[in-house]
Amino acid sequence: MKANPWQEYLFRPLAVAAMFGCIAQALAGFLRLLDPTWNGAVLVVGSVLAALEAGYSYRLTRSETFRGRSLWRFRAVELALFFILLKIVNLAGRGWDGARAEMRAWPHDPLAIADTETLIAFVLAVAAWRAAIQTAHDFRRIGEPPEVSRFYTPPRESLASRFFTGGVVILILTGMSRIGFLQLFDLERPAIPGLVLNVLLYFLLGLVMLGQVQYTTLRNRWQARHIPIAGKLSDRWIRYSLILIGLAALVAFLLPTGYTMGLLNTAGNLLGLALGVFLFIMRILFLLLMIPLWLFFYLLFLLIGRPPPSRPMVFSPLEAPLPATGTPLSWLELLRSFVFWAVALGMVYYVIRSYLRDHPEILRSLAGAGPIRALLRILAALWRSLLGLAEAVGERIPHRLALRGTGGRPVQPGFRFFRLGALSFRERVLYYYLSILKRAGQLGYPRHHSQTPHEYDAVLEPHLPQAQAEMALLTEAFVEARYSRHPVDGEYVRRVQADWEQVKAALRALKRENVKRET
């Protein structure tokens, strides 16, 4: 696919250089904690220029001219120019008098040229230069067939990994520089307001680049499969990507950050609020229960001529207890904190879920670890026990209802006040069979305790010549629903219901024959 020249030669190198400049700005702020006089401009300028130069030098060195020694000489000249440029920037930051005094000392101490600030800026510039070259190489590999090697990493994964690694680094460095070493473990430290512009810019540019990588990958895949592509798809992709990123920036501005409570404080206040509402409801119920008793004593005291008791206790919902804090709880603050942590945790859950869904091998490796495997076995056994207990309780509902008024005999009484639609599929199968037991018992063919369902079926079938097969199927369905654990679906229940209708019709015919015989 033919690359867009504006994107290839202007936007992409500038975006990569700006992202490395954001990381350098975070590092400069961190180094100022160690030395407040540190000149951070040399770090930022060096990283931006090195990353910008790397994008163009990579395309230049891909030609046949730069091979072997010529390539090494070109790289050596690049590194030397980096050091010279960084030294010039460092001297410019010292002022004319400071720069002239330092240059006068160089003949007596040549090693003074490589001062600490310049060396650190040079190391960071080389790191940015190397990472920018790898980024340019990954962009060039998009759309190429994968290599047959266990060390091969697809370009999209390499770019995403580099982006998120830089994001972790910039977040840690920025957080350390704004909090400080002394307040790092102080949980009661005040919030630090203000917008962290370099962090926001880094992630916005990274999202734009990853969006373009995804579009390029999809476009190459569509072209390889000869799928027609709309002419305006590229413009719409860019437009919607910018809208999405703009919404993300808007959320970053609007969501409460410095004025929210911590996660544990928010959870504690929400639990306290729920407890207060629960206790308030319980007090209301207690008051409703006590009103009749109070009225009784009120009338009794009037009859015996003594002063009646005072009115029942009255209380307010504001008495609901909440966790004690140093200041009164603000409902708006609690709502803001809840919204913030709900959105933050939801985003974390979505990212982790999406990543694990795309990399199932991580879940398999975690599941294969000894402690985790043992924990999963324990949780699975506990879950199976709970499911078995729930099913056992659910299956006994029709049976317990059937034993009302029978002295414990397994004869099925009426289900007149029983709503069949409220039962589960498994419970309906049990009901169909037990209702047949009830009808057959009323006709003089009860099932005894010593009989299994199949033994009882052999006794009842000769009396049901029109529904012997249906009775056998109904018995088999009862045994499966009662003693197996496989799922019961609606289609299976409908077939069992049809057999049940046939057996009921046969029992009604048997009842009519018995009446005729008696008359």
Side-chain angles (χ1 to χ4, degrees):
M1 184 183 66
K2 185 178 179 181
N4 187 338
W6 288 98
Q7 177 181 341
E8 183 76 15
Y9 297 105
L10 182 62
F11 171 74
R12 190 176 294 169
L14 288 176
V16 173
M19 292 173 67
F20 281 106
C22 293
I23 299 177
Q25 177 65 32
L27 179 61
F30 176 76
L31 291 176
R32 289 193 187 97
L33 291 177
L34 305 176
D35 185 4
T37 62
W38 192 278
N39 183 14
V42 65
L43 293 176
V44 178
V45 172
S47 299
V48 170
L49 293 180
L52 190 61
E53 191 274 342
Y56 296 105
S57 67
Y58 173 76
R59 285 185 289 273
L60 181 63
T61 54
R62 286 179 56 199
S63 63
E64 296 293 336
T65 307
F66 295 95
R67 291 293 183 271
R69 294 182 179 179
S70 60
L71 179 62
W72 285 104
R73 286 196 296 268
F74 180 79
R75 295 303 188 197
V77 171
E78 275 187 299
L79 296 179
L81 289 177
F82 286 162
F83 184 83
I84 294 174
L85 181 61
L86 291 174
K87 190 61 184 179
I88 292 174
V89 174
N90 190 13
L91 291 175
R94 298 177 182 272
W96 174 250
D97 294 335
R100 186 171 55 180
E102 181 177 346
M103 287 187 292
R104 287 176 180 176
W106 288 352
H108 308 285
D109 187 10
L111 295 179
I113 299 176
D115 60 286
T116 304
E117 289 186 359
T118 305
L119 285 178
I120 294 179
F122 178 73
V123 171
L124 182 60
V126 171
W129 170 77
R130 179 60 182 168
I133 288 179
Q134 293 176 349
T135 302
H137 180 64
D138 289 334
F139 276 117
R140 187 184 64 83
R141 290 192 301 133
I142 296 176
E144 294 183 355
E147 301 176 4
V148 182
S149 173
R150 63 175 182 173
F151 301 106
Y152 172 76
T153 303
R156 284 196 308 166
E157 293 188 10
S158 179
L159 289 169
S161 175
R162 192 173 301 114
F163 166 67
F164 284 110
T165 301
V168 172
V169 171
I170 195 173
L171 286 176
I172 293 176
L173 293 177
T174 303
M176 291 290 295
S177 62
R178 294 177 74 88
I179 294 175
F181 293 109
L182 298 179
Q183 295 183 338
L184 182 60
F185 300 101
D186 183 12
L187 300 181
E188 300 297 331
R189 61 178 177 270
I192 301 176
L195 178 65
V196 188
L197 185 60
N198 62 321
V199 176
L200 180 62
L201 180 62
Y202 175 86
F203 281 100
L204 291 181
L205 291 175
L207 290 176
V208 171
M209 294 184 63
L210 290 181
Q212 288 299 311
V213 169
Q214 179 69 7
Y215 172 74
T216 304
T217 303
L218 292 176
R219 189 180 181 90
N220 291 335
R221 189 180 303 170
W222 295 333
Q223 289 182 343
R225 298 178 180 178
H226 304 287
I227 299 176
I229 304 173
K232 296 183 178 180
L233 179 60
S234 176
D235 296 337
R236 288 199 298 266
W237 186 283
I238 296 176
R239 187 186 311 118
Y240 293 144
S241 298
L242 293 177
I243 291 174
L244 177 62
I245 293 170
L247 290 176
L250 181 62
V251 170
F253 278 104
L254 296 182
L255 274 181
T257 53
Y259 51 93
T260 59
M261 294 181 292
L263 177 59
L264 296 179
N265 289 337
T266 303
N269 282 290
L270 289 175
L271 289 177
L273 179 62
L275 179 61
V277 172
F278 173 76
L279 292 180
F280 174 68
I281 295 175
M282 294 303 296
R283 289 174 180 175
I284 291 290
L285 294 176
F286 179 76
L287 177 61
L288 294 177
L289 292 175
M290 291 300 295
I291 286 177
L293 185 61
W294 176 81
L295 291 175
F296 171 76
F297 282 104
Y298 184 84
L299 296 175
L300 180 62
F301 275 61
L302 288 178
L303 291 175
I304 63 177
R306 298 184 58 182
S310 59
R311 59 186 178 87
M313 177 184 61
V314 178
F315 53 89
S316 169
L318 298 178
E319 297 175 4
L322 291 172
T325 56
T327 58
L329 178 64
S330 171
W331 297 100
L332 180 59
E333 182 183 4
L334 180 59
L335 180 61
R336 288 195 310 238
S337 302
F338 171 75
V339 171
F340 171 76
W341 288 113
V343 173
L345 294 178
M347 294 173 62
V348 171
Y349 168 76
Y350 176 78
V351 170
I352 294 176
R353 178 176 174 272
S354 301
Y355 185 80
L356 293 178
R357 184 179 57 188
D358 296 336
H359 299 81
E361 67 279 1
I362 297 179
L363 287 177
R364 289 194 294 267
S365 61
L366 290 176
I372 297 180
R373 188 169 60 251
L375 178 61
L376 290 177
R377 283 200 301 265
I378 294 173
L379 294 177
L382 180 61
W383 180 250
R384 286 195 300 268
S385 300
L386 292 175
L387 287 180
L389 179 61
E391 287 192 6
V393 172
E395 291 169 1
R396 292 182 180 274
I397 291 176
H399 183 64
R400 294 303 181 190
L401 292 174
L403 294 180
R404 289 182 303 176
T406 64
R409 295 190 306 273
V411 178
Q412 180 70 10
F415 284 86
R416 300 171 193 166
F417 307 103
F418 192 73
R419 192 166 68 89
L420 186 60
L423 296 179
S424 65
F425 291 148
R426 187 182 300 274
E427 292 168 353
R428 294 182 194 181
V429 175
L430 301 178
Y431 165 77
Y432 295 147
Y433 180 79
L434 294 176
S435 66
I436 294 300
L437 292 188
K438 173 217 168 183
R439 294 173 182 269
Q442 291 174 348
L443 294 177
Y445 306 101
R447 173 177 171 262
H448 301 289
H449 290 286
S450 59
Q451 289 178 318
T452 65
H454 291 291
E455 292 174 346
Y456 179 69
D457 180 38
V459 173
L460 186 60
E461 273 188 1
H463 304 282
L464 304 174
Q466 302 91 344
Q468 290 182 353
E470 287 79 2
M471 184 61 197
L473 292 174
L474 184 60
T475 302
E476 187 64 31
F478 169 78
V479 172
E480 290 185 8
R482 177 65 181 85
Y483 298 106
S484 69
R485 290 291 178 263
H486 61 74
V488 178
D489 56 14
E491 182 63 28
Y492 180 75
V493 172
R494 283 189 288 271
R495 293 197 301 268
V496 174
Q497 184 179 6
D499 297 333
W500 173 59
E501 296 287 351
Q502 292 293 329
V503 175
K504 281 198 307 178
L507 287 174
R508 285 194 296 266
L510 180 61
K511 182 179 180 180
R512 289 193 297 267
E513 292 178 4
N514 292 340
V515 171
K516 290 179 181 180
R517 193 179 302 116
E518 292 176 358
T519 57

